Amino acid sequence: MANGGAGAIVVTHNSDDPDIGDLLATASGLDLDGPPIGWKRARWEPVWKGNAHLPGRDVLYEIDREVDRHTTVRPSWLRGLADGDPTRLLVASTIWGFGNFSKGLRFLGRMLGGQRSDSAIPDVLADIVSAAKSGASEGFSALFDARGRSRMSHLGIAFGTKLLHFAGYDSPARPRPLVFDARVWRATRRVRGCPDLPSPTGYVRSDQYDAYCSWAEQVADAAMNGIELATVEYLLFDYGGRVRTRV
């Protein structure tokens, strides 16, 4: 990965770029549990076909029930998995992130079957989940080994921070972990008032990720009438899906 700490990138803005307050003004009535995801259990079953030893398959049936009751997989439900089997949390959060995109099958299969350390995958996941409950920086550091490599195959920054978010969001530690993927990063390049952050496709330090989460906490706390912290990340994610990156 490229060294994201080498040289500051100066972000230039156009006159039509919104500021973070403009995004917050659109948050009224937003239901973070409401947006649907694509879900067909049969699409995900092949991950375990011929690989019955891989853990986490039982959560597929719980997702069936969740979707039957709520027509979607609610982030609040995913956060409720944080105190259980961390492998089930990984499987459910990956499915939430990919929906019915077939690319997710490859990612999940390699995450579950691609051990990169001397520890078993459930033990690595348990360590990551535990660290996420201690705060954003601790969780982020736990995703990587001493050489900066992902401790689990395909569990890099984008999907690693999804796991951190669901694992640590309801813990009392601050700042709470948030998703930091390419769409969120694109928004930070265009929205005034956002911190200057390196791309999650390159090298990001734990203190940079912590600064992003701390900034979002401050934005949520300062918002008129108060908003949920996760709303800040969602608004960036939504905006990042509608714009091109400009550096």
Side-chain angles (χ1 to χ4, degrees):
M1 293 186 292
N3 185 352
I9 297 174
V10 177
V11 182
T12 58
H13 291 283
N14 287 345
S15 59
D16 59 347
D17 285 339
D19 64 27
I20 189 62
D22 295 325
L23 294 191
L24 294 178
T26 69
S28 178
L30 180 64
D31 179 10
L32 295 178
D33 272 343
I37 70 159
W39 166 245
K40 291 181 180 179
R41 177 164 52 84
R43 187 176 291 273
W44 289 91
E45 290 281 5
V47 171
W48 290 268
K49 186 177 181 179
N51 298 289
H53 65 285
L54 295 181
R57 182 172 180 265
D58 61 305
V59 81
L60 300 183
Y61 300 95
E62 292 191 39
I63 295 175
D64 268 342
R65 291 192 290 271
E66 168 70 5
V67 173
D68 284 345
R69 293 171 183 171
H70 302 283
T71 70
T72 190
V73 177
R74 298 166 298 154
S76 61
W77 179 77
L78 288 167
R79 294 197 298 269
L81 300 177
D83 292 329
D85 179 352
T87 307
R88 295 167 74 251
L89 176 61
L90 174 69
V91 171
S93 60
T94 302
I95 289 171
W96 175 83
F98 276 108
N100 281 329
F101 286 105
S102 58
K103 184 179 179 181
L105 300 177
R106 183 173 70 253
F107 268 62
L108 182 56
R110 291 179 178 174
M111 280 192 281
L112 295 176
Q115 184 171 328
R116 283 189 173 181
S117 69
D118 293 334
S119 301
I121 284 174
D123 294 334
V124 173
L125 283 173
D127 182 58
I128 293 171
V129 168
S130 177
K133 295 177 181 179
S134 297
S137 178
E138 292 83 353
F140 192 85
S141 294
L143 292 173
F144 306 100
D145 64 20
R147 291 193 286 177
R149 302 179 306 173
S150 299
R151 294 170 68 191
M152 286 183 58
S153 176
H154 284 64
L155 193 65
I157 294 172
F159 268 86
T161 56
K162 288 178 176 64
L163 178 64
L164 299 182
H165 172 67
F166 293 122
Y169 190 79
D170 288 337
S171 71
R174 297 292 184 273
R176 289 168 284 179
L178 293 171
V179 177
F180 184 53
D181 59 15
R183 281 180 60 159
V184 171
W185 178 74
R186 283 200 299 269
T188 66
R189 313 310 293 171
R190 296 289 296 271
V191 177
R192 298 172 185 271
C194 291
D196 183 8
L197 300 165
S199 169
T201 61
Y203 182 82
V204 179
R205 301 190 309 267
S206 59
D207 64 301
Q208 292 169 319
Y209 175 71
D210 189 85
Y212 154 63
C213 296
S214 295
W215 167 83
E217 291 269 12
Q218 294 166 8
V219 168
D221 289 344
M224 293 184 62
N225 301 321
I227 64 167
E228 178 62 39
L229 169 63
T231 300
V232 179
E233 181 269 319
Y234 177 83
L235 292 171
L236 291 173
F237 175 83
D238 179 67
Y239 188 75
R242 295 184 276 119
V243 300
R244 291 174 176 260
T245 307
R246 183 178 64 246
V247 177

